[in-house]
Amino acid sequence: MLGSPSAASVNHVLKSAPWALQRLAPHAGKIIAVRAGPIALRFCIDPNGELRVASSSAEPDVTIEMSVSLLLRAAIDRAAALNEAVITGDTSLAQTLAYIAQNLQWDYEEDLSKVVGDIAAHRVGSAARNVSAWAKESTNSFLQMSKDFWTEERPTIAKSDDVAAFISSVDELRDAVARLEKRIEMLVSRQ
């Protein structure tokens, strides 16, 4: 049900980047399975590098698994989402897909300009970039405030410096105990 619109959307973006189609073309006939929670899609790569819906019984060459929340987060921070996605199967195809996902940019302003005109599309794009920047800044600010609260005001979580100092103290104590054991052994052996 979602396969055809998904393939059409991905192909639309791929067509705007001929280099991506060229990278996919050598993998013609291979099957890509994408799983995000209850969503399961399978695509086959055509000889021209485009995707088409594959049979659900086709054995995938590459499987990409992620949570639904990770799929949604990919819209905001693609690099972080790519690092958390689990990709298994054909290494060469997996590397190609990862490279394309990292470097492919959808020019949504160009597509939108065909519907509402250049000026309106630019304003919508500018607003979207501002909202995205605000969301990232707000998230980072919230995380920093949470970290400060839990390490300073309500010290429930230990600071990394305190943990490092504790580990160092434990190492020193272990070494001192080992030296003391050796001394005791030497004294016992002398008697």
Side-chain angles (χ1 to χ4, degrees):
M1 183 165 128
L2 290 172
S4 294
S6 299
S9 299
V10 171
N11 286 335
H12 173 74
V13 177
L14 287 172
K15 287 177 185 174
S16 69
W19 62 267
L21 292 171
Q22 290 171 354
R23 282 185 172 262
L24 283 172
H27 299 284
K30 292 187 178 177
I31 306 293
I32 303 166
V34 179
R35 289 190 204 121
I39 301 168
L41 304 170
R42 289 185 191 247
F43 303 104
C44 182
I45 303 171
D46 283 343
N48 62 357
E50 292 182 27
L51 302 182
R52 63 178 165 77
V53 178
S55 165
S56 60
S57 63
E59 188 64 32
D61 293 288
V62 165
T63 302
I64 303 168
E65 295 186 62
M66 63 184 81
S67 64
V68 175
S69 63
L70 185 60
L71 181 63
L72 297 174
R73 237 179 63 210
I76 296 171
D77 190 359
R78 190 174 359 167
L82 284 173
N83 288 336
E84 292 181 38
V86 178
I87 303 173
T88 56
D90 181 345
T91 307
S92 175
L93 178 55
Q95 288 175 340
T96 299
L97 292 173
Y99 181 83
I100 290 172
Q102 288 173 346
N103 295 292
L104 187 63
Q105 296 293 327
W106 174 35
D107 189 0
Y108 57 89
E109 281 187 40
E110 178 64 29
D111 288 341
L112 190 58
S113 72
K114 294 173 185 170
V115 177
V116 297
D118 289 342
I119 294 171
H122 179 69
R123 287 188 178 163
V124 169
S126 180
R129 284 187 294 278
N130 289 340
V131 167
S132 177
W134 172 82
K136 285 180 184 177
E137 184 179 317
S138 296
T139 301
N140 289 337
S141 178
F142 174 75
L143 292 174
Q144 183 61 44
M145 287 187 319
S146 297
K147 178 188 145 225
D148 291 345
F149 177 79
W150 293 111
T151 58
E152 301 293 335
E153 294 181 32
R154 290 239 173 114
T156 307
I157 300 172
K159 296 180 209 171
S160 59
D161 292 342
D162 293 343
V163 171
F166 175 75
I167 290 171
S168 177
S169 297
V170 169
D171 289 344
E172 288 175 23
L173 181 60
R174 181 196 62 224
D175 294 343
V177 168
R179 285 191 301 273
L180 181 60
E181 285 177 345
K182 293 275 187 199
R183 282 186 179 171
I184 292 172
E185 286 175 14
M186 283 177 30
L187 288 172
V188 169
S189 67
R190 284 184 187 168
Q191 292 179 346

